[in-house]
Amino acid sequence: METHLNSLELPKERNLNHVYYRQHNPGAGDDPEPFIEIVKRTAQNFPDFRMDSKRIIAEGDLVVLHSHLILKPGDRGTAVVDIFRLENGKIVEHWDVVQEVPEKSANNTMF
């Protein structure tokens, strides 16, 4: 996923999804196309964006990515947790949690 997003190999993203795709992010619609459009729009608005995976956890039909999204150089970025449910090796469902990286932390880093 990180390779696809960072190199913008978007046509291959269509292969990640089944015929159906259920999205739980209220800002994106179901089906693969809205996800692809969000990535394209982000790339247009922030051509230097990066999404660096910090942790990948897989159990059963779920894959969890803990990532650091940086929209432009010098930004603190955003911590993102994506949860994907797979069927037959294809993404069929997605949840995410997004939190801005604060300037100062009372304890540890977010990564």
Side-chain angles (χ1 to χ4, degrees):
M1 180 69 70
E2 179 179 339
T3 301
H4 289 302
L5 291 176
N6 288 331
S7 66
L8 298 178
E9 297 176 18
L10 294 175
K12 293 181 183 176
E13 293 301 328
R14 290 173 182 24
N15 295 330
L16 294 176
N17 299 296
H18 243 279
V19 174
Y20 64 94
Y21 172 74
R22 186 169 184 184
Q23 175 61 260
H24 295 277
N25 179 317
D30 288 338
D31 298 321
E33 292 304 319
F35 169 76
I36 292 168
E37 289 306 312
I38 287 171
V39 175
K40 283 182 182 178
R41 190 171 48 246
T42 300
Q44 289 170 350
N45 293 333
F46 303 97
D48 294 325
F49 91 100
R50 292 219 29 96
M51 187 162 225
D52 297 323
S53 296
K54 302 298 183 178
R55 287 166 192 78
I56 302 171
I57 303 164
E59 183 177 315
D61 62 353
L62 298 175
V63 175
V64 179
L65 298 175
H66 178 213
S67 304
H68 187 189
L69 171 64
I70 301 170
L71 294 177
K72 55 187 177 180
D75 280 355
R76 288 188 304 275
T78 305
V80 179
V81 175
D82 288 292
I83 304 168
F84 298 97
R85 187 174 67 81
L86 289 77
E87 285 183 10
N88 300 317
K90 307 276 186 178
I91 297 171
V92 296
E93 199 162 7
H94 172 253
W95 298 260
D96 61 4
V97 180
V98 180
Q99 183 179 4
E100 290 184 29
V101 174
E103 185 175 343
K104 294 182 180 180
S105 174
N107 49 38
N108 304 298
T109 71
M110 298 177 77
F111 306 103

